[in-house]
Structure formats: C-alpha cells, structure tokens
Amino acid sequence: MKIAVCVKQIPDPATPYELDAESHLVVRPQDQVLDDTDRYGVEVGLQLAEANEGTVTLFSMSPSGSLQGIRQALAMGADKAVLIDDQALRGSAALTTARVLAAAIEREGFDLVIAGTESTDGYTGVVPQQIAEILDVPALSFARRVEAGDGKVTIERQTATGYDVVESPLPAVLAVTAGSVEPRYPTFKGIMQAKQKPIDNLTAGDLGFGDDDVGIAGSGQSITAVAPIAGRQAGEIIEDDGEAHLRIVALLEETKVI
Amino acid sequence: MSTPIKPGGEYRGDFLEVDAMLDDEERLIRDTVRAFVADRVLPDIADWFAQGTIPVELAKEMGAMGLLGMHLNGYGTAGTNAVSYGLACRELEAGDSGVRSFVSVQGSLAMYPIWAFGSEEQKQRWLPPMASGEIIGCFGLTEADAGSDPEAMKTSARQDGSDWVIDGTKMWITNGGIAGVAIIWAHTENGIRGFIVPTDTPGFSTSDIRYKMSLRASVTSELVLDGVRVPGDAILPDVVGLKGPLSCLNEARLGIVFGSTGAARACYEAALSYSKERVQFGRPIASFQLTQRKLVEMMVKVNQATLLAMHLGRKRDAGTLTAQQVSFGKMVNVRSALEVAREARSVLGANGITLEYPVIRHMNNLESVYTYEGTNEIHILVLGEAITGISAFQ
C-alpha cells in the first residue's frame, strides 16, 4: 500500500513569530519544526503501512529551506520525502497548496493520502478536501480510528455527539484529528538514519506550474489587513448559595458539552 | 560586519541562543527527550519523589527510544555524538536528577566499561539487553570508607581455580537494588580489576538506602558480596588499575556537566514565571529590583553553564577533551546549578518549599550531584594540581 502523508513545517510555536508588514504573511525563520498535528497523520500512516506492508512517503510544500520538521517525520519511520521547496510558492493560498501537493502525490502514485485536519499556523482546514477533489477520489474527514486494507478504508468520523463509521474504496484522502492515535517518539536510531533517507527536492516548475500559477500571484486573494483578536471577556463567577450546580449544568448545556 | 547589532526583544529561555549551534539531529534528540520528559516524567515526578520511587518500566521506554548507552556504538546502541548525549542528560535532568542519574549510570558507568574494556563475548551478551532496558546495570566502586579515595577500597577478588571469588561491600550505588548486573571493582593480586557480576549470583545481596532527602526518585543501595563466585570470563580483560573506573566516571561527568544545566534551567524558569504572577504591594514581584537582580543572576548562570557544557561537548566529539576540563565543567556547573536552585527557592517564598513547584526537589537533588562522581572539593584539587603541578591529595 502506497501511503502519502502531507506534513507542514511551521515556525516553532514556542517562539514568537512576526508578520511581514506588507504582505501580512508569517515571516518564516530558517529553522522550522514539524506541525504538531502532523505527528498524528504520520503515526496513522506508519501503523497502516506496518499492517499492510506499505510504504510511507511524506509530501511537504515549504519555501524556507528548512528540513528539521521533515527529518522529524522521517525519524519517526517514514520511508522518504518529497519536498516542494521553491521561493515562488511563498504566499500561496490553500487551493494553490492543494494543487501543488496533489500534483506531487499523483506523480509519485498513491493508494491513500493522509493529512492532519488543519495546520497550526494557517488553520484553513480545507487542503485535504481540495486535494481529494483535484485527485478525484473520496475525502474522509475528522478521522479518529482508521483501518485500511482489501481496497478500502474505514474510519470513525468524529462528530459533535459521537462518531460516524464511514467507509470508502481506495484510493482516498483522509484527514485525521489530533488525538486519533498516540504518536510515537522518534527513536535515536531513527533520528540518525533520517539523514540518509531520500528527500526529493522539486520546484513548482517541475510539477508543471508557472510562476503566475503559484505564490501570491496565483492565489487569487490577498490579505488586506490583520488585526489582533479582542481580549477575552472575564469569566462568570458563580457564588455557591446551594444552587450553583444548577447554573453550572445550564451553562454546560448551553455550550453543548452535556 | 555589515549587519548592525539588533536591539533584541523579550527573551524566553535560551538568552545567548546557544542551541542555535545545534545541528538538526541534535535538535531532534533534544526535542524528543524534552517531549518524553513532559509526557512521562513531569506529570508524576513530585509523587515519585515524595514516595521515594522510580517506576522500573521507564527503563524499557527509555531503551526503546535509544537513550541507554546512546553515545556508544554497535551492540544495539544508538551511536550518537557526545553533544547529543549531553543534551539528552540536560533535558532529563530538567525533569529530575534521579531520572538523569539512572541514564548516566546505565550508559556511562555500567555499559561503557563493558563496551570499552570487555571481550567481544561480554559485549554481545550484555550490551544489547542493557541498551533496550531489559537489564539494568549498576557500578560498584564506592565503599562506605572509600569515597574520594577509591584506592582504599576493601573489596577484593581472588582466583580459585578458573573462578574468581569476590568479597566486600559497596555503598551509595545508584540502581543497585533494581540492577540485573553489577560492574564490581575489586583489588586483586595484580591491581584493581572490574568484574561483570549478575546480581542473582549466590552471595550477592543489596539493601536500599531508604531515609534520604535527595535523589528520592532514584534507587540508592548497598551491595554486599559475600564469597560471590564468578567464572573466569567475568573479568573485564582490557583494563587494570583505577584508570578503568575513573574513565567511566569521566564519561558520566560530561553528562552531569550538561545535566546540571537542565536542573538549573528548570529552577530559573519556575522562578521567572512565578515572579511575574506573584503580586505583592499591588504589583508582580518581578517588578522589584531585588527580584530582577536574582532573576538576572540565575539567567546568566544558566547561560554560562550551557555555553560551557556545549564547549566541552564539542571538544569531546573532536577528541580533544581532557579529564581536567571535565573536572572544570563538573565543578562549576553543579555549583552554579545549586546556587540557581537556592536563589529560585527564595523567589518562590513559602511556595518554594513545596513539591507543587520543582525548585526544592532540584535543590535537594543537586546536593547529591554536588558530591557524587567526584566531590566538588576533589574537582577543585584536580584543577589546583593542573595549574600548579602540585597534587594536594596524593
């Protein structure tokens, strides 16, 4: 089974990041890390590969030159990576990202594409479904448990109240939720071997895209302004006069927690 | 010189950006151990410390990751460089010195002598299960009356036919009570020799030291060897004399040079965050000049120690590190970590004495680290001899 896992390298969330004053895009530092949510996609990919004698190939689009995040996913056990590393991609919108990743995945061949539900720096949450549409295969979203084999994939799709069991023939695209599995720690041997694993470097041009098709020019949209979010409002303090539990239950029902 | 010096902003943690010197591999190892400590150590460490235990299953988890004997190569070990080993020690000790001690003893004191001085058969038999954490090792050098002066040890081994018979008592042995194998150093007719002794050998017994106020999340034991008979091939063939155990200690001390910076960092970070939240006289105590001075002194010490550790680690990897330079690092970094821990304790006020915060746990642990693997005093005298040419103790 050929499993493609989409991963993204993002600025380390533990350090403050800045936005470019003109384009309002994140200024990407030289060293980026693997988006934490992608560890779940990698883990699901590795488990399915182990169960189905498959291979895991990482696909990532990144205009920064950083490899640290890719190496982390390789150290977890992925077999190889395809990195579309091209300054021309800077400022690409979600749809452009999906087009580029889909082109790279199609070129490599696949039975199953796995991605996180959304990235931690962009939060668009639409790329997996767009990839599925471009590749003309079914999209399964919010997957928490995944089984694959015999030409099909079955998932538990997280819902507000529980889960749906969804089945699809392969090939397909899968977006997994954080918490779907317990991602493994990379082993030190894996970390040492990651350097030897192949990373194919591609440009947008290698995949048939012109400079005007990608990046800010090809995105068909621009960020016109960025504003900080309003500070959180103070919480409500419930004084317990013996009836506080009723108010707490009402609030939990209001927010649909219970 | 074309780029102007930037003014800088609000710094978090690594003020001098020492970790920018790391390569991708070293950074990944650092992050992996940091994540492991956050997931597996920090949630429970206060309880382990209070109860005086460390779960033995941690050994296998650390083995699976590649932490045990990581800086050796072959025989199931990961084969990293010395800086990576140091970074792993640093992140483990930011969790707890007891957890770092476990890894130091397993890798540098129990596995290293087999790897460096053992026969091929000994390496193949012992190193793979020790690397995976299935067999825990300990290092029997110190005795109740032979600490800084190991030559004065009373433990002896005599040949009886093709066997060796070992008698003696070892004290302050980390991992002793949970070990499956002990590296025992003993006087023989031909000088001090090392022996690989399975702990289920008749005549071998241990008792744990229960009433200690430091390194509580670590097993410390007495080992009693009463006519312990081991076959002739239990002796480490390739080393005679004190240089055997001392070379193991030098390996482990490099881990302490790094590890102590982790404990210091954890204390500094706890004090910094506490001081920004703790309000007295209507403002955070971080706004008071006395507190700022404490915070700055702590931050400077953490950064200086980290820089020093990195320098010594790079020298180890380049093959140019001397034992005296290791003494420099062990002496100053542990002393400085202890000073940071005490300063942090004062910033946290009464909260500083509780296990709700990591500070007093680190502070108590560092009292042991200050004394074990070469006391602070002995390292001072090693340096004294290095610069005067005169030994003050031999």
Side-chain angles (χ1 to χ4, degrees):
Chain A
M1 185 184 289
K2 286 188 86 165
I3 299 168
V5 179
C6 300
V7 297
K8 188 174 187 184
Q9 299 184 114
I10 63 169
D12 189 342
T15 56
Y17 62 87
E18 43 182 320
L19 297 178
D20 181 74
E22 213 168 293
S23 68
H24 305 300
L25 294 168
V26 174
V27 177
R28 296 196 177 268
Q30 178 60 35
D31 293 320
Q32 298 198 98
V33 297
L34 182 67
D35 189 335
D36 197 57
T37 62
D38 287 335
R39 293 193 303 134
Y40 298 91
V42 174
E43 180 62 39
V44 169
L46 291 172
Q47 288 185 11
L48 294 178
E50 282 157 12
N52 295 282
E53 291 177 10
T55 57
V56 173
T57 304
L58 308 169
F59 290 85
S60 187
M61 192 177 106
S62 155
S64 83
S66 173
L67 283 178
Q68 195 187 334
I70 304 291
R71 289 240 168 86
Q72 184 179 341
L74 287 172
M76 286 174 72
D79 297 286
K80 62 181 228 173
V82 175
L83 179 64
I84 309 102
D85 183 351
D86 190 336
Q87 283 302 324
L89 294 168
R90 201 181 124 70
S92 292
L95 183 55
T96 314
T97 305
R99 282 181 179 138
V100 171
L101 288 173
I105 291 166
E106 194 158 37
R107 181 179 139 131
E108 199 74 20
F110 68 99
D111 295 306
L112 181 63
V113 179
I114 301 172
T117 293
E118 58 185 358
S119 67
T120 310
D121 61 344
Y123 290 109
T124 64
V126 294
V127 171
Q129 291 72 27
Q130 290 172 332
I131 291 175
E133 181 61 24
I134 295 162
L135 295 173
D136 198 22
V137 298
L140 295 86
S141 55
F142 298 107
R144 42 173 238 185
R145 282 193 62 173
V146 182
E147 281 173 31
D150 298 332
K152 63 177 187 182
V153 58
T154 309
I155 66 158
E156 287 178 9
R157 182 170 62 199
Q158 184 75 50
T159 68
T161 50
Y163 64 88
D164 303 324
V165 176
V166 183
E167 192 179 287
S168 150
L170 292 174
V173 175
L174 197 62
V176 299
T177 59
S180 49
V181 283
E182 186 65 45
R184 66 195 67 187
Y185 300 109
T187 66
F188 293 179
K189 275 187 200 156
I191 291 172
M192 310 284 289
Q193 285 159 1
K195 248 196 308 203
Q196 270 84 49
K197 288 185 175 173
I199 300 177
D200 293 345
N201 273 291
L202 301 179
T203 63
D206 293 337
L207 295 168
F209 295 98
D211 281 356
D212 291 344
D213 300 329
V214 295
I216 295 173
S219 73
Q221 54 176 245
S222 60
I223 302 165
T224 54
V226 175
I229 54 168
R232 267 195 244 170
Q233 291 181 344
E236 177 185 339
I237 295 170
I238 304 162
E239 297 280 351
D240 188 9
D241 52 4
E243 301 288 315
H245 60 286
L246 296 176
R247 175 73 189 130
I248 291 168
V249 169
L251 280 169
L252 291 173
E253 278 172 349
E254 219 171 90
T255 52
K256 295 193 172 149
V257 174
I258 55 173
Chain B
M1 297 295 274
S2 56
T3 318
I5 294 171
K6 289 186 229 165
E10 187 183 339
Y11 282 87
R12 298 190 203 171
D14 186 11
F15 192 90
L16 294 177
E17 295 166 358
V18 180
D19 278 12
M21 289 189 251
L22 304 178
D23 66 23
D24 280 356
E25 210 168 86
E26 292 160 347
R27 211 166 298 163
L28 256 178
I29 286 176
R30 175 199 67 185
D31 292 346
T32 302
V33 181
R34 198 178 281 187
F36 173 78
V37 168
D39 294 343
R40 289 291 287 121
V41 177
L42 293 180
D44 296 314
I45 185 62
D47 287 335
W48 298 341
F49 188 90
Q51 290 156 17
T53 61
I54 180 167
V56 282
E57 61 265 24
L58 267 191
K60 284 186 189 160
E61 290 174 42
M62 295 194 288
M65 195 189 293
L67 265 168
L68 306 177
M70 61 186 281
H71 59 309
L72 310 177
N73 57 49
Y75 309 99
T77 63
T80 71
N81 64 4
V83 166
S84 295
Y85 171 60
L87 293 167
C89 287
R90 185 181 87 185
E91 298 306 325
L92 289 170
E93 195 151 359
D96 191 82
S97 303
V99 180
R100 198 268 307 139
S101 296
F102 179 92
V103 170
S104 290
V105 168
Q106 180 79 353
S108 288
L109 297 184
M111 294 175 70
Y112 176 79
I114 299 173
W115 182 82
F117 312 124
S119 66
E120 187 56 33
E121 292 72 30
Q122 289 171 334
K123 291 179 202 183
Q124 289 192 7
R125 174 176 173 196
W126 293 106
L127 293 178
M130 292 175 85
S132 68
E134 281 163 60
I135 295 182
I136 295 171
C138 67
F139 178 81
L141 175 68
T142 299
E143 299 181 0
D145 296 323
S148 295
D149 181 12
E151 188 87 50
M153 71 169 73
K154 295 206 175 69
T155 300
S156 65
R158 64 183 163 83
Q159 252 177 324
D160 183 31
S162 62
D163 294 344
W164 285 92
V165 179
I166 310 171
D167 286 286
T169 304
K170 299 291 181 182
M171 191 60 176
W172 309 113
I173 308 305
T174 301
N175 294 353
I178 53 173
V181 65
I183 304 299
I184 299 293
W185 301 93
H187 278 295
T188 69
E189 278 185 359
N190 306 313
I192 290 174
R193 302 293 300 257
F195 296 86
I196 305 175
V197 182
T199 55
D200 59 1
T201 310
F204 188 103
S205 62
T206 66
S207 56
D208 295 344
I209 294 155
R210 301 248 171 240
Y211 299 103
K212 56 188 169 115
M213 299 301 289
S214 176
L215 288 185
R216 289 185 51 74
S218 172
V219 176
T220 314
S221 317
E222 179 187 47
L223 313 180
V224 177
L225 296 98
D226 183 9
V228 169
R229 180 177 289 272
V230 290
D233 63 5
I235 197 166
L236 292 171
D238 292 340
V239 74
V240 180
L242 265 185
K243 68 173 184 289
L246 294 186
S247 68
C248 301
L249 289 166
N250 277 329
E251 291 293 319
R253 283 169 191 153
L254 186 65
I256 296 176
V257 172
F258 275 88
S260 54
T261 71
R265 185 187 77 204
C267 291
Y268 159 65
E269 285 175 352
L272 179 65
S273 93
Y274 183 88
S275 68
K276 288 180 178 174
E277 284 161 17
R278 171 76 175 172
V279 173
Q280 288 293 283
F281 304 102
R283 51 195 183 128
I285 62 170
S287 65
F288 295 117
Q289 292 183 2
L290 285 176
T291 307
Q292 285 202 2
R293 179 178 182 169
K294 290 180 186 179
L295 294 170
V296 169
E297 295 292 349
M298 285 189 270
M299 183 277 284
V300 168
K301 280 178 182 156
V302 171
N303 275 267
Q304 283 175 328
T306 307
L307 257 183
L308 172 59
M310 194 61 76
H311 177 67
L312 297 183
R314 290 282 181 238
K315 283 183 69 65
R316 177 77 185 97
D317 282 325
T320 59
L321 185 65
T322 68
Q324 294 158 326
Q325 288 164 341
V326 175
S327 284
F328 183 119
K330 200 274 179 182
M331 177 198 77
V332 71
N333 274 14
V334 179
R335 180 174 74 194
S336 151
L338 193 50
E339 286 164 2
V340 169
R342 288 173 180 156
E343 195 81 287
R345 213 291 306 149
S346 80
V347 172
L348 267 72
N351 283 306
I353 69 160
T354 70
L355 284 175
E356 291 287 307
Y357 294 87
V359 175
I360 199 153
R361 181 168 50 78
H362 283 301
M363 192 178 104
N364 280 10
N365 284 340
L366 286 165
E367 290 289 352
S368 295
V369 182
Y370 188 73
T371 288
Y372 75 17
E373 310 225 5
T375 63
N376 184 264
E377 293 77 0
I378 287 290
H379 288 301
I380 290 172
L381 298 183
V382 167
L383 297 182
E385 181 181 358
I387 57 174
T388 64
I390 308 165
S391 170
F393 60 98
Q394 273 176 338

